[in-house]
């Protein structure tokens, strides 16, 4: 265990990866416990297990290296997408550094002498035990987040019925991507409707999966509403689309299309993740509506 002072980055990466695998297996949730409490404990364990002669700069650097390796492995193994990893990094890094700083000062005050081999083993195991225990306790009082609704609009020069028909099935979605989609947020490339009536399935295809919805309201030129029944995208087991709807309102200059999406998420802390989730959905709306506009312009040109 003495060698751990030179490989504390490996302790950090390994513990975080084990925690992610527990989440991926459905054993723990992606709550504030995973993103805040657990990495604080990982940073603490990595430093307390190391040599107390290490400098604060060194232990923080090793924690950062371990976090980087963990994030690369999470993306490489398909456990999470790049954008999700990118968004999580600041929160995880802050929590790791906080734990490492606490561990660093504990090494110089409470434990002036190096702790014994057996205690080092317990310290390394401690973050996983804390993750499991705290997750179980939190499930007793934490409530599910309510559904969030996002609405976006665009005004197009064509009449409502024509816009409706162009949107119900879209063979091509290739508008300019907003910046989050350019970084790697899931981008649909085709949406197809199997039949033109209530109860039919509409499927949007992505390079890494698909979303299937059942039509609940089908009124050409007026509204198209859907209930999401299947959602398969890499790393999105914590995110759940509920329903989606389009309404078409005739205005003096054409048709105003309103897109509404309803979803809920397991991610916590909510104060950190909710604004990022909202931004991601708004940018996906923007991409789909831009693609609709581009497709209609192609049709008009021909």
């Amino acid at each position: 265990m003495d060698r751990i002072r030179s490989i504390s980055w490996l302790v950090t990466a390994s513990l975080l990866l084990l925690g992610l695998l527990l989440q991926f297996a459905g054993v723990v949730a992606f709550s504030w416990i995973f993103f805040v409490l657990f990495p604080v404990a990982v940073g603490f364990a990595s430093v307390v297990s190391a040599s107390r002669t290490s400098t604060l700069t060194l232990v923080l650097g090793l924690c950062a290296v371990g976090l980087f390796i963990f994030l690369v492995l999470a993306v490489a193994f398909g456990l999470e997408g790049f954008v999700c990893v990118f968004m999580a990094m600041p929160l995880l890094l802050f929590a790791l550094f906080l734990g490492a700083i606490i561990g660093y000062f504990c090494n110089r005050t409470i434990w002036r002498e190096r702790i014994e081999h057996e205690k080092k083993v317990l310290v390394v195991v401690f973050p996983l035990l804390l993750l499991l225990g705290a997750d179980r306790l939190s499930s007793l009082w934490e409530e599910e987040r309510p559904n969030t609704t996002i609405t976006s609009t665009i005004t197009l020069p064509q009449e409502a019925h024509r816009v409706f028909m162009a949107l119900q099935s879209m063979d091509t979605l290739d508008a300019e991507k907003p910046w989050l989609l350019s970084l790697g947020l899931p981008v649909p490339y085709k949406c197809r409707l199997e039949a033109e009536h209530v109860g039919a399935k509409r499927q949007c295809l992505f390079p890494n999966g698909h979303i299937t919805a059942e039509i609940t309201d089908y009124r050409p030129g007026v509204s198209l509403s859907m209930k999401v029944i299947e959602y398969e995208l890499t790393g999105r087991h914590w995110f759940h689309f509920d329903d989606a709807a389009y309404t078409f309102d005739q205005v003096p200059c054409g048709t105003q299309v309103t897109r509404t999406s309803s979803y809920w998420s397991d991610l916590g802390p909510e104060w950190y993740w909710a604004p990022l989730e909202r931004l991601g959905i708004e940018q996906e709306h923007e991409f789909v509506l831009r693609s609709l506009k581009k497709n209609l312009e192609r049709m008009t040109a021909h």
Side-chain angles (χ1 to χ4, degrees):
M1 256 334 248
D2 286 343
R3 292 188 60 211
I4 206 162
R5 64 177 178 270
S6 63
I7 57 169
S8 55
W9 56 269
L10 182 59
V11 175
T12 300
S14 299
L15 287 173
L16 290 174
L17 190 58
L18 286 171
L20 181 60
L21 289 173
L22 288 174
Q23 196 286 328
F24 196 78
V27 178
V28 299
F30 259 168
S31 66
W32 67 272
I33 292 170
F34 181 87
F35 285 107
V36 179
L37 186 61
F38 177 55
V40 167
V42 170
F44 177 84
S46 297
V47 174
V48 169
S49 300
S51 169
R52 73 181 185 90
T53 60
S54 301
T55 65
L56 180 59
T57 301
L58 176 61
V59 297
L60 292 180
L62 290 173
C63 282
V65 170
L67 174 62
F68 177 75
I69 292 172
F70 157 70
L71 295 176
V72 169
L73 291 175
V75 174
F77 291 145
L79 299 176
E80 283 301 337
F82 172 77
V83 174
C84 298
V85 161
F86 177 77
M87 290 178 171
M89 185 169 59
L91 185 61
L92 290 174
L93 188 62
F94 173 80
L96 272 174
F97 277 9
L98 178 61
I101 292 169
I102 294 171
Y104 176 81
F105 286 106
C106 284
N107 266 351
R108 279 154 178 72
T109 55
I110 301 174
W111 298 297
R112 289 186 176 276
E113 300 297 328
R114 290 169 58 188
I115 57 178
E116 296 88 351
H117 171 88
E118 293 77 11
K119 290 182 180 178
K120 286 185 177 181
V121 173
L122 291 176
V123 167
V124 171
V125 174
F126 164 71
L128 292 174
L129 296 178
L130 179 65
L131 174 63
L132 291 168
D135 182 79
R136 288 293 175 273
L137 286 175
S138 69
S139 66
L140 299 178
W141 70 78
E142 286 191 351
E143 298 180 356
E144 288 185 353
R145 282 169 52 181
N147 279 15
T148 300
T149 300
I150 306 293
T151 300
S152 304
T153 62
I154 189 173
T155 300
L156 302 170
Q158 294 81 9
E159 56 93 17
H161 189 275
R162 186 176 184 185
V163 175
F164 180 97
M165 300 307 290
L167 185 139
Q168 66 174 4
S169 287
M170 301 175 69
D171 290 333
T172 304
L173 288 90
D174 60 351
E176 181 182 353
K177 299 175 186 176
W179 68 274
L180 269 180
L181 274 66
S182 298
L183 287 176
L185 205 65
V187 181
Y189 63 87
K190 176 185 290 189
C191 292
R192 57 194 183 195
L193 180 66
E194 68 174 17
E196 299 179 0
H197 58 74
V198 171
K201 304 295 188 298
R202 185 175 187 265
Q203 188 175 66
C204 285
L205 305 178
F206 296 73
N208 60 338
H210 66 270
I211 298 176
T212 302
E214 182 177 304
I215 305 299
T216 56
D217 184 21
Y218 184 86
R219 288 179 288 165
V222 179
S223 68
L224 178 66
S225 300
M226 298 160 278
K227 181 76 173 179
V228 176
I229 58 174
E230 193 173 272
Y231 184 78
E232 292 186 6
L233 290 174
T234 301
R236 298 302 188 282
H237 41 283
W238 40 262
F239 188 87
H240 312 270
F241 270 117
D242 189 15
D243 51 42
Y246 294 91
T247 58
F248 306 82
D249 297 304
Q250 202 73 50
V251 294
C253 55
T255 303
Q256 179 176 281
V257 182
T258 302
R259 164 72 189 267
T260 303
S261 292
S262 176
Y263 67 90
W264 57 276
S265 169
D266 294 328
L267 289 181
E270 186 175 352
W271 58 264
Y272 183 84
W273 287 111
L276 295 173
E277 291 167 349
R278 174 176 288 272
L279 178 61
I281 298 301
E282 287 173 345
Q283 293 204 353
E284 292 216 31
H285 281 194
E286 182 182 347
F287 172 73
V288 172
L289 294 175
R290 281 182 184 176
S291 295
L292 172 63
K293 179 180 179 181
K294 189 173 181 180
N295 287 346
L296 285 165
E297 288 172 348
R298 286 196 194 103
M299 293 167 62
T300 302
H302 290 112

